[in-house]
Amino acid sequence: MTSETNSTPTQALLTDVSLEKEYFELSSAKIQFLWMTFILFVVCLINYLPTLRCGLAQSDFQRVGIVIQATHGQWHDFLQSLQFLDLGNLYKPVGSASLLLDRVIWHSNYAGFHFTNILILFACACFIMLITLEITGTWGNRSRSAALWAGLLFAVYPLHAQAVTSLSCRDDLLTGLFFLLSLFCFLRFRLLRERLYQRWFFLFFALLVLESKSALVLPVVMLLSVPLLPSQLQGANARILRKYRAQDCSLAVACCLVPFACLVYKFKLFEMGVDFNNLAAWAQTFALPTILDPESFKRMLLPVNAQLQWPRVFPILLICPLILAAVSCILRLTRECSLIRALILLFLWLLLGLLPSWDHWHIYRNLVGSNLFFSSSAPLCAAVAIASIPSADVLSRKVANWLTCFGAPALAILFFAWSYALQQNITPFVVAAEILHKSALELHKISSAAPPNRGIVVLDLPHDYKGAPLFTSESLKLSVEPPFNPYKDTVSVIDTLLGGKSDYLWPDEIKRALKTADAFCWSEAKQSFVSLTTVAGKSHPAVVDNYMAATLDPPNAWSGSDRQWHLGAPQNPGFETYPTYRRLIPAMAKAGRKAPPVMTIMIPVSNIDPFDKTVALLNINFHGSDVDRQKCQFVWRSRNPGDAQTSLHQATIDKNLVWLGHYKRWLLNGEPTSIGFRLEPGNYCVDVGAIQLMDDASLKPVLLVDNQVFAPAQVLPYSENLKSKFSWQARRVHDCQSVMLVISDPDTPASTKGDGTAYSGKIASESRHVSKDGTVQLPDLNIPEGLSQIQVIALDAKGQRIGLPSEPVTIFR
Amino acid sequence: MTQAIASAPQTKNKDVRSLSSRIVSALRSDLGVFVLLLLLNLICYQRSLRGYFLADDFIHIPYLVKVFDNHPELLLQNFYTNWMQAQGTQFYRPLISITLALDYLVSGANPLAYHITNFSYQLASSFFLFLTTRLLFDYKTECERWSISFFAALFFAVCPLHPEVVSWVIGRVDSVATTFLLAAFWLYLRCANHASGANKTTSLICFVLSLLSKEMAVTLPPGLVLYEFLRSQGTLRQRFMSSCLRTYPYWIVLVIYLIIRSAALGTISGGYAGSIGSSLSDSIFRRFFQDGSFMYVLFPLNAELPAHWHRLVRILYYLYLAGFLVALVRALAMMRNGQFVRYSSWLGFALGWFVICLIPTYQVWNLTAALLGSRFIYLGTAPLSLLLALLVAPLAGLFDEESGSVKIGTLFQMVVATSLVGCFALMTYANNTVWATAGGQVRAFRRAVAELVGGHNCAPLAILQIPERYHGAHMLYNAAMLSVLLRPPLSEQDYYDKVFTFEPATFGDADLINVSRLRRLLSANKQIHLVTWSEQDCQLKSLHLVPNGRNIKAGGTPALPGRNNILVPGTDLTCSVDPFPVGVISPTLDIAALSVDFVDLELANVKTTGVAKMFWNSPDDPSFTSERQLILPANINRIRFDVSQHKKWILCQTIHQLKFELPSGVEIKGVQLSSAQNEVPDLRPLPAVINAGGRTMDEDKSGIARPGCVIGDFSVDVSGIKGAQKVLLQISRPDSFFEHYSGTFRDQVIEKDKSSFLKELPVSAADKISLPAKILSAPGFYELRAFATDGNGKVIGYSSDPIVLQFSARDLSQ
């Protein structure tokens, strides 16, 4: 029996007569949805319009470079980037493909690339809207206003600045999009049981698997949604509901297996050998503090770049709407019990979304790392919207109106506050883009003016501008070579090759480079490259003992001789003069009082060539605990403004050593004008004698490759057939009896602690050799896969390390 | 179809309920609760199981050794005499010695069995509280019954005031008494509810066992009367009479107990005697209401723990606020339902029981910021836990029976109650860490001493500071405890034979040291090895003290005329408080700490009363961490810091610099470092002279002389004191120590009511003095000291450092 035969005469009449509508039915769902989509698009475009001016920055060069090469017929690198199962390859195939598409459409107009990012964000906002509709539909009528607010909040969420502005964060955007698409399809499938949605779900889930580890999170969210968002399938009885629930759970579990299998293969999960005995210690020291970092959580609700200026009341403006929304939500909880389930689901989704990046999850003060929160911000926005807007059909109309009076203004305030914050957060990216553009022109000018046989060395590159990426050695090298620029052969960069603190350099490497090239440093004040000034200093060691001419900060710090009565306050620092030394006494903190001042004592120096005097030997006697030792810093000032400091490293009991030459701020800041100590408040004191400034040559061994010096910034490619010979010379290190050859962990700098004289503990292997001078063949060294560094360390008769480590050799296997 | 649609949410709710009900039913079983309590207690106290003996435990170990050395009658003796026949205390706790003897039987001197027993009693107390509170009230629903009793037991199990009882072996006195008391209460309630197998005799036996454990058990009959009074109907008189009638067997047992105890102790009250007892009696009001001790009950976190733990106090504060909200809403709801009267009677019982539990502690109650003395409230935490459970534990199921939805109010209550349990558990864990560390330190101390004196030709050791207390955890209080630690069975051999100590004979300020005895010892034993216990490094550190030397090497501090004085010229520096209190730092002194007894300060411009502080440092530790404080009266030109009686001064070895902090505007005109030779009589025992009883005044390793039936012979030298014409001898009352009253050895006033004997002698007769011991009233510890007086009997200078004497009853009868 067909439906026509069952229909009533009135129905038949209605189907026969098709009347054309005379006006738009504004209350219809489709029209409203179109309007909502349009509003979202306008909001996204207006807020992110300045990003169209941003060009390429840092790792964008590499990704876009591969794409450009592919369009020129060199497909090798691009095809390699599509192999998502290749270990160590961070590029995602869908992200690379999308950039290729951008290149095909927009050619070298990078504004188009950024426009694509905005479109993806807009799509994400639309799907957040749709998902919110689905969620609110589980306990009442679908709340369109809540859905629209969720989409709007997502579109202006200030932590999205980095994700949308950087092209290298395209993967984060696509991950978020596929996640939301997959989840929406799953929720629709649960509601309608239509195969079409199931097929779409599989497609988007497959793309998500290709793109990100977040694919592991989606099935868990799906699984949680089964009990927390009860199915509203109409006409189904309990048995059918049970069956459907079982199906949904099976689907989620099956989906879980796919990305898990990929991860097992990709990251060799079972070969890592998790040490279950140390699991608790591992969780304590690493994972828990990283994931449960309260500062990062705070920045989710106060998403402002701390390096920018903000109105004083602005944090209140950001928090008050959230409090209003929370109050509105709490009031509703007494009547709208199902709301809590939805909120629990969204909260768990937010937390689970962070898990794929558990090892590096952190949002810094300048919001670097906020791209990791792109996907997880979706549930946050949805939760705020759902918590604020009540559903009138569950509550009485009167109650709903009252609660809306709380929620709607709160959301409106939050929307405008977030929008303002987003504009501010985007500003550094726009400024950074301008700086990069300007510096490219300047480099072009400098390289054109350089003599034919003389190169250019670029030093001291700022890595970021208030959180927006600027230069790295790698990106600068890429930016000066084709296809972006043509002056590859004349410009070289000396910077940290691996991660770690960007303040460190290898002084000998620069000294060698200066023989054949002119050095230029980036000047923060002038926002341009300036020529490095060299200082003609004395060649013999300099002894600094002129405490009488020292300056003290704070100015009211007390001083006195040990031979006479003098005044001293525990909350005020000062120093006592003894016949052979000075006793520096920091302020002591007293409970409940304002923090006492930090004491800085600076002794003037002159005629010091920073490239010649690379080590400071301190005659120090420290009275206090090891914790207090960290509070005492060695400080120096140079011609260029700004203090630099480092904590003291204890070489022996009485003698302390600071490897000044390892610091950019010592080598590149011009002539040093004073050196001294900075003491934070604490219950300790330091007896200091004369300070000796000297060359580091007699303190460190030399490591050669095939009897040649190999610069740390260069990379030695490893192959099984390579017969390179590593030789070391440690004879000139005083008291050296043997040496230790240290190979760092892959992609870890050789020394990352303090001033480079101590090790971070991330060592792949170490081998001891009895002879002061010796040789070893490369195959004999157990080089791990990845980028590692090799160093030689001198040891004394007791096997204790002495002096400084050699300059490293960087090797890639 | 409509039915099908309607059934959908019900099915869902049923599923949710079935899972939750399964969890709840598993938890609701007695075994489930027991396992949960066991786990919670293990989390909190697992470190205690590896603990060691502490403080008073060292009195019980030799006693147990003696019991098992063919003297089992000693255990029986406890039933009809003072507990362990100890001097200075009067307790009746025979059952405790039996529990300790059982542990000794199992593991000898290994502390593991003792700690397991302590843990078991804590667990048993928690479980019996669960059983008791389950039967306590006429609950309306099973959920209400389970929830209140369950959370009361949880709160008790994780109560942060319990580490002293659980981790200190002898702290079990309270947990044993509480276990049996709660068991007696539970059995009484079973009888009252006519439960099958209930027997009042068993309850009475438990009550007797509780009474034999600690006097606190006397609170059970009044507690039962209160319970019956609140439960019964009628006029006040009828209710009171019926309550007494129902509980009369307990009163009869109590009366019999009091008669036996009085006969055994010779007094009805008992407790601490001597100077400890009298100083406790003098400070009842302060201890209860001025020291903030009830604030520590409310926020029970050891104040001496590292700062990061103190966040818990803030968290607890917010949880209390949430709990207060729960209680308020609950009270309002009950007022509307007409159940408030019933509920308030429950609260009244919990409060009343708590007050009853505190009454017997009136003499000893002293809860410090480091939670020292928290054992006195162990029983009191049972009603407190019940009170807290009544206020915050959820009283209804989590799911609505009709709609199946979650009850938000119940969920909130559950979250608050569970969070409180979690917060308390963390606090307990934190509080317990100091006890675990204290045990480890005592163990390390014993090992360190053994290493130093374990060899054959080792020099005798003098330990100036033993590990006395660690952030509120007891360790070693006196030489008697040290002697037990350093002798078998706790040590491999008798190390104590080679160790001199300077600790109080029984109890006292750990910073005070009898410097005269130290000087005598250093003069007599040139080879003696001086050490002190370093808490930070957990090891013994050597000291180099110069007996009476003058180790001045720094320039600018000329020694002016005067036999023993050093004058440091005035500063002309005025102290100020803006912006900070400024200290005046002296030139480098580098003087031997032992050569200085007093630091005198000449001042000018002292206009108002204030506080004067003196700090000092040493060449090894230049920070001014040690300090003495004095109240500075107005219009005074000279103040004196007595320093040599303080260990912190002596342990500095060499005084590098002095620093003074004075009220604003005060000017220092000069500083004088002087010896006590001209102001303090030199009272010395004469160890070489045999007295009439055939004994001598030779002091033992801990500085206690036992001269038998004669007090003597000793000498008093006042030749250095200008104007001294007579010597006044003063002997304290039994078990009373002069410094317990005044806090110093340097008294300038003779308080006759603190003496049992006073006698004035001419200076010429003071070379060799002896007195008959029978002038003393009772056996015990005594202190003997001397004053120099002028012709009119007025005291010149200070009292001498005392000699501690001990007499037995036999000595006094001869």
Side-chain angles (χ1 to χ4, degrees), chain A residues 478-657:
Chain A
L478 286 171
S479 70
V480 297
E481 65 185 28
F484 302 103
N485 279 302
Y487 32 89
K488 177 188 177 185
D489 295 334
T490 50
V491 178
S492 59
V493 185
I494 295 182
D495 203 357
T496 45
L497 201 61
L498 289 164
K501 251 188 140 176
S502 57
D503 199 26
Y504 300 146
L505 287 173
W506 302 101
D508 287 353
E509 183 185 20
I510 300 176
K511 277 190 235 177
R512 284 192 301 272
L514 286 178
K515 288 175 186 168
T516 56
D518 294 328
F520 288 87
C521 301
W522 178 260
S523 163
E524 198 92 21
K526 296 177 184 170
Q527 292 286 309
S528 66
F529 289 101
V530 292
S531 178
L532 177 69
T533 49
T534 50
V535 184
K538 297 173 199 163
S539 59
H540 53 81
V543 177
V544 183
D545 194 20
N546 188 12
Y547 283 92
M548 294 304 287
T551 57
L552 263 179
D553 183 54
N556 63 342
W558 57 269
S559 63
S561 159
D562 79 311
R563 304 289 172 143
Q564 56 191 201
W565 286 92
H566 55 275
L567 292 173
Q571 287 85 29
N572 209 16
F575 77 96
E576 281 172 359
T577 307
Y578 285 77
T580 54
Y581 59 90
R582 269 78 178 158
R583 173 164 292 164
L584 307 183
I585 302 164
M588 273 175 69
K590 208 159 194 177
R593 289 195 179 245
K594 215 174 81 178
V598 173
M599 180 172 77
T600 309
I601 180 167
M602 300 300 294
I603 311 155
V605 291
S606 59
N607 295 330
I608 301 289
D609 176 5
F611 283 95
D612 185 46
K613 307 287 183 289
T614 47
V615 164
L617 286 178
L618 315 175
N619 188 3
I620 271 188
N621 195 8
F622 191 88
H623 303 277
S625 65
D626 287 342
V627 179
D628 288 329
R629 183 175 281 275
Q630 302 299 321
K631 296 176 183 170
C632 183
Q633 307 273 324
F634 182 76
V635 196
W636 65 89
R637 249 170 230 159
S638 303
R639 287 266 173 240
N640 296 339
D643 285 0
Q645 62 185 44
T646 177
S647 66
L648 300 180
H649 163 67
Q650 190 180 22
T652 61
I653 292 169
D654 291 327
K655 198 163 55 175
N656 287 264
L657 179 146

Side-chain angles (χ1 to χ4, degrees), chain B residues 683-713:
Chain B
L683 172 68
R684 288 173 178 260
L686 300 173
V689 181
I690 298 170
N691 64 26
R695 309 253 291 260
T696 69
M697 274 282 271
D698 190 18
E699 292 167 313
D700 70 0
K701 305 279 178 190
S702 51
I704 300 168
R706 294 179 183 84
C709 58
V710 177
I711 308 169
D713 290 347

